[in-house]
C-alpha cells in the first residue's frame, strides 16, 4: 500500500510541476487510457499465475 501512495504522490507532484511550467501533461487525458494501462498490468499478473499453475 505504501508503494501505491508514493506513486500517487509522485504523480501529483509531477502534474503540479508540469502545470506550473506550462508543459503538456505527460499522461493521456482520457480515463480509458488509464484503464488500458491497468489492463496490461492485470494481464501480466494473470499470465504469471497461469505460468506458476502449470509449472
Amino acid at each position: 500500500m505504501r508503494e501505491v501512495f508514493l506513486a500517487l504522490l509522485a504523480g501529483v507532484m509531477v502534474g503540479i510541476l508540469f502545470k506550473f511550467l506550462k508543459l503538456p501533461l505527460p499522461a493521456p487525458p482520457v480515463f480509458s487510457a488509464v484503464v488500458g494501462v491497468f489492463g496490461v498490468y492485470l494481464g501480466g499478473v494473470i499470465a504469471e499465475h497461469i505460468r506458476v499453475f502449470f509449472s
Side-chain angles (χ1 to χ4, degrees):
M1 186 66 180
R2 181 176 179 208
E3 292 173 352
V4 173
F5 176 73
L6 290 176
L8 178 63
L9 182 62
V12 168
M13 291 171 54
V14 167
I16 291 171
L17 178 66
F18 271 63
K19 278 298 183 179
F20 276 127
L21 296 175
K22 296 183 175 146
L23 296 170
L25 291 177
V30 184
F31 181 70
S32 60
V34 175
V35 173
V37 170
F38 177 72
V40 170
Y41 172 76
L42 186 60
V45 170
I46 291 171
E48 182 63 24
H49 285 293
I50 291 171
R51 186 186 66 79
V52 169
F53 180 77
F54 285 112
S55 63

